């Protein structure tokens, strides 16, 4: 009894969506990605080599100047006043220290922000590309900023950047699911390849035995069927659909001249009978 191959247990996922995010990311950051940096002088970053541009920092950090009229400044001042009983003058001095590394020389303090490269290969702070959860729930545009009156909290659900979206989509579980699916497909291809070899062996045995005058028709039909089946399997392995193979020139050749289409494994094949069986 022939054993039926087990049904693939590979997890299902949206392969088209994953391909789309990877393709978009590859346009910005082609080739191999690699980590680099020197922790004595800079933050580590994820990089790639872009033709004509050289090394590009895909994921890293960028310094952002502190600004008095910003959400962060207002939040910091509010938290400072809530924590300490201070006068307005004390609060002002504190904010000056918070804002400036050297106010006399107009050197602001900076904050390190997570950054990704954009379509121009320019580093952009991720927080400036954030899609806020409230915006999605309220039907607001994805680029609605945190300063919008309708964005009452800072929870985010996405980042408007192909690199960021690809990194989120290609999670470890997704990669493992792809590996499992590939292994299942490789197993199926191996089984089909073995079937093609088996059919070729049967063709060789049929030819090696040689049809007699009494069973010529039966043997010729069997040989043609085996040859056709083997040809269909090989065509499928080469990416040709069965319906495209049926009626094709190759299929006709496989049926009419099976001995000339395959390398026979039988050493007892009789070349002289080739023309007779092929007619």
């Amino acid at each position: 009894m022939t054993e039926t191959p087990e049904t693939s247990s590979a997890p299902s996922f949206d392969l088209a969506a994953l391909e789309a995010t990877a393709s978009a990311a590859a346009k910005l950051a082609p080739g191999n990605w690699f980590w680099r940096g020197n922790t004595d002088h800079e933050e580590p970053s994820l990089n790639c080599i872009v033709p004509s541009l050289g090394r590009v920092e895909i994921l890293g950090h960028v310094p952002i100047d502190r600004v008095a009229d910003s959400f962060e400044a207002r939040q910091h001042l509010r938290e400072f006043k809530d924590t300490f009983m201070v006068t307005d003058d004390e609060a002002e001095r504190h904010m000056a220290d918070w804002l400036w590394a050297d106010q006399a020389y107009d050197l602001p303090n900076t904050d390190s922000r997570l950054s990704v490269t954009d379509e121009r290969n320019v580093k952009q702070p991720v927080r400036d590309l954030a899609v806020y959860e409230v915006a999605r729930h309220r039907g607001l545009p994805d680029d609605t900023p945190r300063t919008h009156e309708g964005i009452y909290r800072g929870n985010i659900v996405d980042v408007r950047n192909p690199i960021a979206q690809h990194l989120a989509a290609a999670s470890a579980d997704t990669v493992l699911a792809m590996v499992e699916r590939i292994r299942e497909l490789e197993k199926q291809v191996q089984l089909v390849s073995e079937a093609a070899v088996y059919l070729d062996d049967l063709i060789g045995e049929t030819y090696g035995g040689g049809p007699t005058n009494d069973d010529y028709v039966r043997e010729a039909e069997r040989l043609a069927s085996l040859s056709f089946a083997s040809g269909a399997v090989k065509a499928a392995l080469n990416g040709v659909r069965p319906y495209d193979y049926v009626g094709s020139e190759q299929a006709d050749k496989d049926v009419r001249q099976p001995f000339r289409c395959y390398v026979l494994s039988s050493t007892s094949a009789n070349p002289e009978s080739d023309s007779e069986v092929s007619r």
Side-chain angles (χ1 to χ4, degrees), residues 118-135:
D118 63 12
E119 64 279 358
R120 302 165 299 169
N121 293 118
V122 175
K123 295 164 63 175
Q124 298 291 336
V126 169
R127 63 167 48 206
D128 291 349
L129 305 172
V131 178
Y132 290 97
E133 182 182 42
V134 176

Side-chain angles (χ1 to χ4, degrees), residues 5 13 18 26 41 46 78 84 113 131 169 199 257:
F13 52 88
L18 186 62
H41 309 291
L46 187 64
R78 182 169 58 252
F84 305 99
R113 301 298 189 198
V131 178
L199 289 171
Q257 298 177 319

Side-chain angles (χ1 to χ4, degrees), residues 203 220 223-224 227-228 249-264 274-275 277-279:
I203 294 173
L223 180 61
S227 182
F228 178 81
E249 182 180 347
Q250 182 60 45
D252 183 65
K253 181 180 180 182
D254 291 344
V255 173
R256 293 182 178 276
Q257 298 177 319
F259 302 140
R260 298 177 183 177
C261 300
Y262 299 95
V263 177
L264 304 181
D274 182 285
S275 58
V277 178
S278 300
R279 283 198 298 267

Side-chain angles (χ1 to χ4, degrees), residues 67-68 70-77 95 98 111 113 127:
V67 180
S70 66
F71 176 84
E72 291 81 8
R74 290 192 296 272
Q75 183 182 41
H76 181 79
L77 178 59
M95 288 304 297
W98 182 83
D111 293 306
R113 301 298 189 198
R127 63 167 48 206

Side-chain angles (χ1 to χ4, degrees), residues 45-221:
S45 60
L46 187 64
N47 296 255
C48 76
I49 301 298
V50 176
S52 76
L53 292 178
R55 182 180 61 81
V56 170
E57 187 174 292
I58 303 169
L59 182 70
H61 294 81
V62 62
I64 299 298
D65 294 345
R66 291 179 178 177
V67 180
D69 185 21
S70 66
F71 176 84
E72 291 81 8
R74 290 192 296 272
Q75 183 182 41
H76 181 79
L77 178 59
R78 182 169 58 252
E79 292 175 350
F80 178 72
K81 287 183 175 180
D82 290 343
T83 304
F84 305 99
M85 298 294 294
V86 296
T87 64
D88 289 342
D89 289 341
E90 290 172 329
E92 184 177 347
R93 286 196 298 271
H94 171 77
M95 288 304 297
D97 291 338
W98 182 83
L99 284 167
W100 297 99
D102 192 324
Q103 191 170 8
Y105 288 92
D106 290 332
L107 294 176
N109 280 319
T110 61
D111 293 306
S112 180
R113 301 298 189 198
L114 182 67
S115 66
V116 289
T117 187
D118 63 12
E119 64 279 358
R120 302 165 299 169
N121 293 118
V122 175
K123 295 164 63 175
Q124 298 291 336
V126 169
R127 63 167 48 206
D128 291 349
L129 305 172
V131 178
Y132 290 97
E133 182 182 42
V134 176
R136 283 280 175 89
H137 287 171
R138 293 189 165 191
L140 296 172
D142 281 353
D143 60 353
T144 303
R146 178 68 178 88
T147 53
H148 189 280
E149 60 182 8
I151 308 300
Y152 54 85
R153 64 170 180 263
N155 300 56
I156 76 168
V157 292
D158 199 2
V159 174
R160 305 185 318 276
N161 177 274
I163 302 293
Q165 291 170 348
H166 168 67
L167 290 173
S171 66
D173 281 346
T174 299
V175 173
L176 289 174
M178 291 182 65
V179 170
E180 185 173 351
R181 176 178 290 189
I182 290 170
R183 285 175 175 166
E184 290 290 341
L185 292 174
E186 287 178 339
K187 185 188 300 182
Q188 293 175 16
V189 170
Q190 179 62 30
L191 291 173
V192 174
S193 299
E194 291 174 1
V197 173
Y198 175 73
L199 289 171
D200 282 352
D201 288 343
L202 289 180
I203 294 173
E205 292 172 4
T206 301
Y207 181 40
T212 65
N213 293 332
D214 295 335
D215 58 7
Y216 171 80
V217 174
R218 179 177 62 82
E219 290 294 331
E221 290 178 347

Side-chain angles (χ1 to χ4, degrees), residues 31-49:
N32 295 328
W33 295 6
F34 55 92
W35 289 100
R36 72 169 298 279
N38 184 321
T39 57
D40 293 342
H41 309 291
E42 59 186 343
E43 291 295 317
S45 60
L46 187 64
N47 296 255
C48 76
I49 301 298

